[in-house]
Amino acid sequence: AAAAAVAAAEFAATPPATTEAASAVDPAPAGTVDPRPRCQRDQPCWPTAADVAALAKELDPSAARSCVRNGAVTAVAEPAAVPLSSPGAQPFYGAAQALNATYTAEPGDHADECFGPTAPKPGMFCIVALRNLPRAGWAPAFVAWPLSATHVQAAVAFAARHNLGVCVAATGHDFLNRHSCDDGLLIRTTLMKGSDWDDDAGTATLAPGLTWGEALSDGDKHGRVVACGHAATVGVVGWSTGGGHSWLGPHLGLGVDQIVSVDVVVADGSLVTANASNNSDLLWALRGGGGSTFGVITSITVKTYPTPAAGFTNRITWLTGPSNAQGLRTLAAGLAGFANWSLALDDNWGGYLNLIAPATGPDDDAEVKKLLAPYGIDTCAQWAAAYGLTNTREEGCDLRKILASPGCQASAACRADPRGIQELCPATCGAPWSAMMDYIYWGPETDAAFQRVWGDVFAGAPSTIDLQPPTPLKTYFDGAVQQPIEYIDPRPVAAATDTWARLSSVLASRDTVAAGEWAGIIASSMASCAADNTTCAGFQLYQTVPGNVGSPTFDPSATSIGPGFRDAHLHMLAVPTSASIAPGALAALKASWYKLGANSYFSESEYTLPGDSWKARYWGDANYARLLSIKQKYDPHGLFWCYHCVGA
C-alpha cells in the first residue's frame, strides 16, 4: 500500500512525460480539470507484460476470485448484474468462477468485436470487461479485480504511472457509458463484498461490490432495511452517489440522504475517509456528484431503519385501452385520476406508472395464426366473434368484457393474459396502449389506508382497470428477489440511435403535476404513435422521491444533487421507442418535456444532452461550480474520467 501511494504521489508531483501526444494536447477548456495526456499503445509509457504481471502480484493473484450466484434466482441475491442470454441467469455468463487478478486485451477483444447477437465470443477478456450498453468504439485495455482497498491503491498507482485513464464498475448497470474508458484501466470492484451493521447507531458499512439484493439480504439478519435501488442487481455505490430514487424514497429519502461516510482512494493513491469531520467537502461531492469521477470508493456507510413489523405490501394494476378517440379519452381521464391520486398519497407509498406506447401487431397471415393458436382461434375476426365484441375499434376492447366472455373462459391462455391478444389484433382492438402501476406500501394490506387508497386510483376510467391482488412482503428483500431480473445488454450501441441515449428525464414539482401539461404531452404522443407508428414513446412516472404528503425533509445544502430534487413530486421519463422517429418530432417531444422541470436525474437521463446543458440539468450552476473545485482539488489531472461527469 505504501509503495502504491508513493508511486501515485510521484506522478502527481511531476510534469507529464514529453510525448507527441502531450505536445498536441490543448489547454483544458474552462469548467474542466487539466487532464494529463493518455498514454497510447505505441508509446514508451504503455504497460509491458512485465508491468501488468507486477500489478497482478500486488493484487494477491493466488486469492480465490469468483462471481457466481449459488441458489435459485427467486431465493438468493444476485452478486452482480446479469447479461442477456446468460445460461442460468448467472453474472458474466457463468464464466466468472476462477478469475485472474488482471486481464489484458488482445487483438479482437474490443467491445465492438466481442459480442454477437446473443452471446459473447470465446475469450475471457470480453467476459470480464462486459458492461451495460457500452458505446461503440469504447473498450478498456486492462481490467483489474481488486479484493481490498490496498489492491485498489495498487491499481490506481499503476494507472497513474502509465498515464492511463481509470474507469470503475461494480455491477456495470450504468447505461450512459460512465463505466468506459477507451484503452484505459477498468477497475472492477465487483468482488469486494461484505457489510458491517451497527444496529445501535442505525448504520451499515457496505463494500463497493455489493448489489442491493445482497445488502437487503444482510439487513434481514438484523431486522433492518435500507433505501435502495428498484432492481436487486443494481450496485450500492453508483446508485447512492448518483442520487438514488426508490420505492422507499417517499418514506426514507434519496440515496444521497443516506450517506454517512465514504472511504475512497483518490488520485494521489491515498485512502481517505470523507465524513462530517474529515474531508467534508468530498463527502458533499459524493452525495450526488457521482462516484467514479472523484476516486474509487472502497466502502460506503449508510443509514438503516427497522423493518416494519407487519412488512410491506406490493400491488400492481393496469389501465388499458385502444388508441381510437374513445380510448384516448380514457387515457386522458386515467392520467388525470392518477395525478390526483398520487398527489394525495402519504409517505408510506412509493412506486411508478409505466405507459406503453400503442402496439401494432401483424396482419391476418400465417404469423398471426401461429400467435393466436394458443388462444384457440385462427383470425382476429374470429377472436372478436368468440368474445362477443362488435364495432370494437370504436368501442374499444373492454378487458373485463373479454375476461367474462365464454371464449376467454374456455382459453387458458386468454385467462392468463387477456392483454396479449390485444397486441396481436390492433385492427380489431385499435392498437392498444397500456399503463401499468406498480406500488409498494409501508405496511400490511389490512391497513385502512391501503384499502381506501386503491378505491380512488384511475378515477374516471374504472371500466378498464385490471387490479391485481395485493402481494404481502415480510421484508423488502422478499420483494426485491421476486422482481424480474433487469438484464444488462453488453452489445455496443451507437449513441445517437440507442433508445436509452434519447431518454428525457425531468423532476416535476407538485404544482407541475397538478397543472397537467405533462398529461397532454403523453396523450398527444400516444395519438401520433397510433397514427403513423414513427413517433412512438413510452413514459415512466416515478413516485420515488421524498415529495409525498408527510415525506421527510432534508437540508438541501447537505447534498450536491440538483435543487429540483428537493421540491419534486415525480421523476418523469420520456422514452422514444421508434428507431425511425423523425428528428423534428423527437426534438419537439424533448423540448416540451424539458419545459416541465429544470433538473434531470444524473443516473437516468439523455446521453445526447446538447453542449454543456448537462451541468445545469444534473446539478445547477452553483452546485456544479463547487463540485468542479472539489474535483480539481482531489484529481487535478483528471486521472478519473467519465462521460458527462464533473470535470469532463
Side-chain angles (χ1 to χ4, degrees):
V6 168
E10 289 176 351
F11 166 82
T14 58
T18 302
T19 64
E20 292 181 9
S23 63
V25 173
D26 294 327
T32 67
V33 296
D34 183 15
R36 292 280 171 88
R38 302 300 189 210
C39 186
Q40 306 299 308
R41 288 176 178 264
D42 59 350
Q43 294 177 336
C45 52
W46 191 258
T48 65
D51 293 330
V52 178
L55 170 61
K57 187 175 181 179
E58 291 187 82
L59 303 187
D60 190 7
S62 63
R65 285 176 165 85
S66 66
C67 186
V68 180
R69 186 194 69 254
N70 295 307
V73 171
T74 57
V76 300
E78 292 279 1
V82 179
L84 287 171
S85 305
S86 178
Q90 285 285 0
F92 300 101
Y93 294 98
Q97 299 184 39
L99 294 167
N100 298 333
T102 62
Y103 289 85
T104 301
E106 301 294 339
D109 280 341
H110 204 278
D112 298 20
E113 303 166 327
C114 273
F115 294 93
T118 60
K121 74 167 197 176
M124 278 302 295
F125 190 86
C126 289
I127 300 292
V128 299
L130 68 80
R131 288 113 43 228
N132 190 38
L133 300 174
R135 263 51 193 182
W138 295 66
F142 309 95
V143 177
W145 292 85
L147 300 176
S148 67
T150 301
H151 290 178
V152 172
Q153 288 180 287
V156 168
F158 172 85
R161 198 158 48 240
H162 295 283
N163 293 357
L164 299 174
V166 175
C167 49
V168 187
T171 66
H173 247 291
D174 177 77
F175 51 76
L176 291 170
N177 210 38
R178 294 188 176 120
H179 42 34
S180 297
C181 49
D182 199 38
D183 268 354
L185 172 65
L186 170 61
I187 299 178
R188 296 215 79 127
T189 58
T190 314
L191 304 182
M192 297 176 67
K193 302 290 189 180
S195 63
D196 182 15
W197 296 69
D198 186 336
D199 298 343
D200 292 333
T203 62
T205 299
L206 309 176
L210 287 178
T211 63
W212 278 120
E214 292 175 311
L216 289 168
S217 179
D218 290 349
D220 277 2
K221 300 178 181 69
H222 297 263
R224 312 286 292 184
V225 68
V226 289
C228 59
H230 173 63
T233 53
V234 165
V236 300
V237 167
W239 181 87
S240 298
T241 58
H245 72 107
S246 81
W247 273 349
L248 301 182
H251 193 78
L252 301 179
L254 299 168
V256 294
D257 299 320
Q258 315 306 315
I259 300 174
V260 176
S261 180
V262 182
D263 289 337
V264 56
V265 176
V266 293
D268 68 2
S270 58
L271 176 64
V272 303
T273 297
N275 56 30
S277 302
N278 303 287
N279 303 300
S280 59
D281 56 347
L282 184 57
L283 175 67
W284 178 86
L286 293 173
R287 286 174 167 169
S292 297
T293 190
F294 294 99
V296 184
I297 291 175
T298 60
S299 74
I300 185 168
T301 301
V302 299
K303 301 174 185 175
T304 70
Y305 306 86
T307 297
F312 305 88
T313 306
N314 177 222
R315 195 167 206 179
I316 296 174
T317 184
W318 288 82
L319 176 69
T320 59
S323 52
N324 55 27
Q326 176 178 322
L328 291 173
R329 287 194 296 271
T330 297
L331 173 62
L335 292 176
F338 169 77
N340 294 331
W341 180 83
S342 72
L343 287 165
L345 293 182
D346 67 20
D347 64 306
N348 289 316
W349 294 87
Y352 67 93
L353 172 66
N354 183 22
L355 288 138
I356 303 169
T360 56
D363 295 328
D364 289 350
D365 54 14
E367 180 184 0
V368 77
K369 289 183 179 181
K370 180 179 178 181
L371 294 171
L372 292 173
Y375 296 87
I377 55 178
D378 193 50
T379 66
C380 289
Q382 183 182 344
W383 164 71
Y387 297 153
L389 302 173
T390 59
N391 194 26
T392 53
R393 186 154 183 87
E394 293 307 318
E395 294 178 6
C397 294
D398 189 321
L399 194 59
R400 292 183 177 180
K401 186 175 181 181
I402 294 172
L403 280 167
S405 69
C408 189
Q409 290 300 307
S411 167
C414 181
R415 293 196 307 273
D417 183 20
R419 283 177 298 275
I421 199 165
Q422 292 182 326
E423 298 181 3
L424 301 178
C425 294
T428 307
C429 231
W433 50 265
S434 61
M436 184 192 76
M437 277 179 50
D438 195 346
Y439 269 71
I440 283 280
Y441 176 71
W442 187 287
E445 63 178 291
T446 54
D447 279 3
F450 181 87
Q451 301 289 337
R452 181 180 64 254
V453 160
W454 284 108
D456 298 331
V457 65
F458 288 144
S463 65
T464 54
I465 296 174
D466 178 18
L467 190 59
Q468 301 292 308
T471 300
L473 304 170
K474 183 179 179 181
T475 71
Y476 200 76
F477 171 74
D478 292 343
V481 294
Q482 292 173 25
Q483 290 290 322
I485 293 174
E486 292 193 14
Y487 292 93
I488 64 172
D489 187 349
R491 296 169 298 180
V493 295
T497 59
D498 174 48
T499 294
W500 295 107
R502 301 179 295 180
L503 187 73
S504 298
S505 161
V506 163
L507 293 159
S509 68
R510 294 181 67 86
D511 289 343
T512 297
V513 173
E517 183 180 354
W518 57 275
I521 296 171
I522 291 174
S524 176
S525 174
M526 294 290 183
S528 297
C529 177
D532 59 22
N533 197 35
T534 59
T535 56
C536 300
F539 297 87
Q540 299 169 6
L541 312 180
Y542 289 91
Q543 192 164 0
T544 51
V545 296
N548 287 17
V549 176
S551 286
T553 58
F554 299 89
D555 178 4
S557 67
T559 58
S560 51
I561 54 173
F565 264 109
R566 292 312 180 192
D567 63 1
H569 177 62
L570 297 177
H571 172 224
M572 307 200 305
L573 299 175
V575 189
T577 55
S578 297
S580 58
I581 188 170
L586 178 60
L589 172 63
K590 292 196 294 186
S592 60
W593 200 248
Y594 283 136
K595 288 180 181 178
L596 300 173
N599 289 126
S600 297
Y601 179 36
F602 173 79
S603 297
E604 296 173 1
S605 53
E606 181 187 350
Y607 188 86
T608 51
L609 283 170
D612 285 344
S613 63
W614 52 274
K615 299 175 182 178
R617 291 213 66 88
Y618 293 153
W619 299 290
D621 291 336
N623 279 359
Y624 185 80
R626 184 180 174 191
L627 283 166
L628 180 61
S629 68
I630 295 169
K631 166 72 170 175
Q632 292 167 333
K633 172 182 175 181
Y634 288 95
D635 184 18
H637 301 300
L639 181 66
F640 305 107
W641 184 93
C642 54
Y643 182 80
H644 279 183
C645 292
V646 174

